[in-house]
Amino acid sequence: MERVVPAPASVQSGGASYAIGAGTRIHVPGNSDEVRKVGDYLAAVLRPSTGYPLPVVADDGGGDGIVLKLGATISGAGSDKAAGAGTADPKADGAGAPRDTAVALGAEGYRLVVSGQSVTIGAEQAAGLFHGVQTLRQLLPATIEKRTAQSGPWKVPGGTITDAPRYAYRGGMLDVSRHFFSVAQVERYIDQLALYKINQLHLHLSDDQGWRIAIDSWPRLAAYGGSTQVGGGPGGSYSKADYREIVRYAASRYLTVVPEIDMPGHTNAALASYAELNCNGIAPPLYTGTSVGFSSLCVAKDVTYRFADQVLGELAALTPGPYLHIGGDEAHSTSHADYVTFMDKVQPLVTKYGKTVIGWHQLAGAHPVAGAVGQYWGTNGGEKEVADAAKAGMRLILSPANRAYLDMKYNASTPLGQNWAGFVEVKDSYNWDPATFIKGAPAAAVLGVEAPLWTETIVTSADADYMTFPRLPGIAEIGWSPAATHQWDAYKVRLAAQGPRWTALGIGYYRSPQVPWPSG
């Protein structure tokens, strides 16, 4: 139980283990379709490898089998321990000093109790049950993840875990603009994010190299602007039905989709599609390189804001989540005055459609609207305007490029990725604290963290796997686990135990020399 990633808020190990067998049933309350879906999801994970039928039945379980309880209080005996917290005892197996057992579960927390007769997961909401299921997976042998029958045995160690997240926003970003990823590839990535209790999928849907979402009022954006990608490949775009499917699938894994339309820069695909969006009325050619900062919507034209209004309106109608991301980074071809003018006009369009503005942290240099969120991607946390905006009420998502950017090379020999923010080894990506990273910003301003995967050099899902793992779980832990649990020496042991699980899942990962991976 002390090897779970992200580290739970509190852990008590001990007592009899539970063995999943041919007669095990998954019990769900009869009055909740949502919990039934979590039970069906769990059964779909466990059946192929165990070979057991694992029927999902609508009853309270009677203290036997795997029991999912919604809004129920379940208790475990004894005092809890904070998994991975600092301890002077090297024999403590990663567990730390006793902590208060009264962890408030909230919308995403859960309590998991394992005895000789049952595994019980209780939560206030179904999202918590789903996160508890991810923990249960890690308590089983790694071969549970295989899609063919394995030998077992399937024992869950005894004890109690009580768990809830540190931050409400824990994101992963996939850039589908530099290289296009199909719906199936995005859904595979969603499954990987869900393993580590990530709850936001940020899709970077537009950039200089490609426009990836169909907009009825501006059809050439996808048809023409989406026809290529970095290197000149065929590109691609999502129909509205495709996008709805991604949203649906993400919701089934308790992730919220955060769509981004980057403006006013990073817009060459749009400018190439519609000449009137350019100040000179001339459409530039499509772009397949990797330079940044050369494009800009025409801030002085009324058509620019009709464009922004219609695009954001159609995207808002497709997106049930609360956020619309309007980019705002690297607008080097836009004067500061024009940038401020643009953001002052576009932010109210987001709120008009009932959504919350997210922009890259350059938004702090304009006039963030009430409730706006700035996504920080700098490297040293010293930008005074970001701290000042946070003090004035702007909330922050932390994605420092030299810590959280998954496209940064691990070292000089990494075959993929970039190094403009430096090399980012696994320890670098783990050893930082969102609460203190922005100098002078109040800790309460931090909404959460996000790990972006930019795809200038990422072409396939295998490429994405290699750059995402093993760094993503560390960002997930920073977002989920109590700050007191963040200790590299304990974490690297827990992380190493994930390696066989990734292999079983078909995830090819970077075997960092900083991590004591199991041999064989």
PDB file of all heavy atoms in Angstrom, residues 91-107:
ATOM      1  N   LYS A  91      13.555   1.429   7.421  1.00  0.00           N
ATOM      2  CA  LYS A  91      12.779   0.195   7.314  1.00  0.00           C
ATOM      3  C   LYS A  91      11.280   0.460   7.279  1.00  0.00           C
ATOM      4  O   LYS A  91      10.490  -0.482   7.308  1.00  0.00           O
ATOM      5  CB  LYS A  91      13.106  -0.720   8.505  1.00  0.00           C
ATOM      6  CG  LYS A  91      14.579  -1.136   8.555  1.00  0.00           C
ATOM      7  CD  LYS A  91      14.837  -2.007   9.772  1.00  0.00           C
ATOM      8  CE  LYS A  91      16.320  -2.379   9.848  1.00  0.00           C
ATOM      9  NZ  LYS A  91      16.599  -3.211  11.039  1.00  0.00           N
ATOM     10  N   ALA A  92      10.909   1.726   7.203  1.00  0.00           N
ATOM     11  CA  ALA A  92       9.485   2.064   7.273  1.00  0.00           C
ATOM     12  C   ALA A  92       8.757   1.840   5.955  1.00  0.00           C
ATOM     13  O   ALA A  92       7.579   2.121   5.856  1.00  0.00           O
ATOM     14  CB  ALA A  92       9.311   3.525   7.697  1.00  0.00           C
ATOM     15  N   ASP A  93       9.481   1.323   4.930  1.00  0.00           N
ATOM     16  CA  ASP A  93       8.862   0.972   3.646  1.00  0.00           C
ATOM     17  C   ASP A  93       8.141   2.159   3.025  1.00  0.00           C
ATOM     18  O   ASP A  93       7.076   2.031   2.432  1.00  0.00           O
ATOM     19  CB  ASP A  93       7.871  -0.195   3.839  1.00  0.00           C
ATOM     20  CG  ASP A  93       7.527  -0.861   2.504  1.00  0.00           C
ATOM     21  OD1 ASP A  93       8.309  -0.708   1.561  1.00  0.00           O
ATOM     22  OD2 ASP A  93       6.480  -1.515   2.434  1.00  0.00           O
ATOM     23  N   GLY A  94       8.716   3.349   3.206  1.00  0.00           N
ATOM     24  CA  GLY A  94       8.152   4.536   2.576  1.00  0.00           C
ATOM     25  C   GLY A  94       7.052   5.205   3.364  1.00  0.00           C
ATOM     26  O   GLY A  94       6.544   6.235   2.967  1.00  0.00           O
ATOM     27  N   ALA A  95       6.616   4.635   4.477  1.00  0.00           N
ATOM     28  CA  ALA A  95       5.541   5.240   5.257  1.00  0.00           C
ATOM     29  C   ALA A  95       6.125   6.207   6.267  1.00  0.00           C
ATOM     30  O   ALA A  95       7.220   6.034   6.761  1.00  0.00           O
ATOM     31  CB  ALA A  95       4.713   4.173   5.956  1.00  0.00           C
ATOM     32  N   GLY A  96       5.379   7.218   6.612  1.00  0.00           N
ATOM     33  CA  GLY A  96       5.865   8.241   7.517  1.00  0.00           C
ATOM     34  C   GLY A  96       5.156   8.214   8.851  1.00  0.00           C
ATOM     35  O   GLY A  96       4.579   7.210   9.267  1.00  0.00           O
ATOM     36  N   ALA A  97       5.168   9.345   9.521  1.00  0.00           N
ATOM     37  CA  ALA A  97       4.602   9.448  10.856  1.00  0.00           C
ATOM     38  C   ALA A  97       3.078   9.410  10.803  1.00  0.00           C
ATOM     39  O   ALA A  97       2.468   9.724   9.792  1.00  0.00           O
ATOM     40  CB  ALA A  97       5.073  10.755  11.490  1.00  0.00           C
ATOM     41  N   PRO A  98       2.449   9.012  11.903  1.00  0.00           N
ATOM     42  CA  PRO A  98       0.976   8.981  11.916  1.00  0.00           C
ATOM     43  C   PRO A  98       0.385  10.355  11.610  1.00  0.00           C
ATOM     44  O   PRO A  98       0.922  11.383  11.986  1.00  0.00           O
ATOM     45  CB  PRO A  98       0.658   8.543  13.349  1.00  0.00           C
ATOM     46  CG  PRO A  98       1.873   7.811  13.802  1.00  0.00           C
ATOM     47  CD  PRO A  98       3.019   8.495  13.150  1.00  0.00           C
ATOM     48  N   ARG A  99      -0.745  10.324  10.895  1.00  0.00           N
ATOM     49  CA  ARG A  99      -1.435  11.552  10.545  1.00  0.00           C
ATOM     50  C   ARG A  99      -2.881  11.462  11.003  1.00  0.00           C
ATOM     51  O   ARG A  99      -3.401  10.389  11.285  1.00  0.00           O
ATOM     52  CB  ARG A  99      -1.405  11.775   9.025  1.00  0.00           C
ATOM     53  CG  ARG A  99      -0.022  12.123   8.485  1.00  0.00           C
ATOM     54  CD  ARG A  99      -0.044  12.152   6.965  1.00  0.00           C
ATOM     55  NE  ARG A  99      -0.931  13.173   6.448  1.00  0.00           N
ATOM     56  CZ  ARG A  99      -0.585  14.421   6.226  1.00  0.00           C
ATOM     57  NH1 ARG A  99       0.627  14.819   6.496  1.00  0.00           N
ATOM     58  NH2 ARG A  99      -1.446  15.285   5.739  1.00  0.00           N
ATOM     59  N   ASP A 100      -3.530  12.602  10.998  1.00  0.00           N
ATOM     60  CA  ASP A 100      -4.943  12.651  11.322  1.00  0.00           C
ATOM     61  C   ASP A 100      -5.726  11.809  10.318  1.00  0.00           C
ATOM     62  O   ASP A 100      -5.560  11.940   9.109  1.00  0.00           O
ATOM     63  CB  ASP A 100      -5.403  14.114  11.267  1.00  0.00           C
ATOM     64  CG  ASP A 100      -6.867  14.282  11.653  1.00  0.00           C
ATOM     65  OD1 ASP A 100      -7.522  13.293  12.012  1.00  0.00           O
ATOM     66  OD2 ASP A 100      -7.321  15.434  11.606  1.00  0.00           O
ATOM     67  N   THR A 101      -6.589  10.941  10.795  1.00  0.00           N
ATOM     68  CA  THR A 101      -7.363  10.078   9.915  1.00  0.00           C
ATOM     69  C   THR A 101      -8.547  10.801   9.292  1.00  0.00           C
ATOM     70  O   THR A 101      -9.179  10.283   8.393  1.00  0.00           O
ATOM     71  CB  THR A 101      -7.895   8.859  10.689  1.00  0.00           C
ATOM     72  OG1 THR A 101      -8.752   9.322  11.731  1.00  0.00           O
ATOM     73  CG2 THR A 101      -6.762   8.054  11.284  1.00  0.00           C
ATOM     74  N   ALA A 102      -8.861  12.006   9.753  1.00  0.00           N
ATOM     75  CA  ALA A 102     -10.050  12.715   9.289  1.00  0.00           C
ATOM     76  C   ALA A 102      -9.748  13.466   7.993  1.00  0.00           C
ATOM     77  O   ALA A 102      -9.621  14.679   7.976  1.00  0.00           O
ATOM     78  CB  ALA A 102     -10.549  13.671  10.359  1.00  0.00           C
ATOM     79  N   VAL A 103      -9.577  12.724   6.913  1.00  0.00           N
ATOM     80  CA  VAL A 103      -9.352  13.314   5.603  1.00  0.00           C
ATOM     81  C   VAL A 103     -10.710  13.602   4.968  1.00  0.00           C
ATOM     82  O   VAL A 103     -11.536  12.707   4.818  1.00  0.00           O
ATOM     83  CB  VAL A 103      -8.540  12.358   4.701  1.00  0.00           C
ATOM     84  CG1 VAL A 103      -8.398  12.939   3.297  1.00  0.00           C
ATOM     85  CG2 VAL A 103      -7.172  12.087   5.314  1.00  0.00           C
ATOM     86  N   ALA A 104     -10.961  14.855   4.609  1.00  0.00           N
ATOM     87  CA  ALA A 104     -12.220  15.214   3.964  1.00  0.00           C
ATOM     88  C   ALA A 104     -12.188  14.710   2.522  1.00  0.00           C
ATOM     89  O   ALA A 104     -11.324  15.100   1.744  1.00  0.00           O
ATOM     90  CB  ALA A 104     -12.419  16.717   4.004  1.00  0.00           C
ATOM     91  N   LEU A 105     -13.125  13.847   2.168  1.00  0.00           N
ATOM     92  CA  LEU A 105     -13.084  13.209   0.849  1.00  0.00           C
ATOM     93  C   LEU A 105     -13.456  14.176  -0.265  1.00  0.00           C
ATOM     94  O   LEU A 105     -12.841  14.156  -1.331  1.00  0.00           O
ATOM     95  CB  LEU A 105     -14.018  11.998   0.832  1.00  0.00           C
ATOM     96  CG  LEU A 105     -13.687  10.879   1.836  1.00  0.00           C
ATOM     97  CD1 LEU A 105     -14.631   9.703   1.624  1.00  0.00           C
ATOM     98  CD2 LEU A 105     -12.234  10.449   1.722  1.00  0.00           C
ATOM     99  N   GLY A 106     -14.449  15.002  -0.075  1.00  0.00           N
ATOM    100  CA  GLY A 106     -14.845  15.944  -1.110  1.00  0.00           C
ATOM    101  C   GLY A 106     -15.320  15.241  -2.373  1.00  0.00           C
ATOM    102  O   GLY A 106     -15.752  14.081  -2.353  1.00  0.00           O
ATOM    103  N   ALA A 107     -15.203  15.937  -3.504  1.00  0.00           N
ATOM    104  CA  ALA A 107     -15.758  15.437  -4.760  1.00  0.00           C
ATOM    105  C   ALA A 107     -14.950  14.300  -5.364  1.00  0.00           C
ATOM    106  O   ALA A 107     -15.486  13.507  -6.142  1.00  0.00           O
ATOM    107  CB  ALA A 107     -15.856  16.578  -5.766  1.00  0.00           C
TER     108      ALA A 107
END
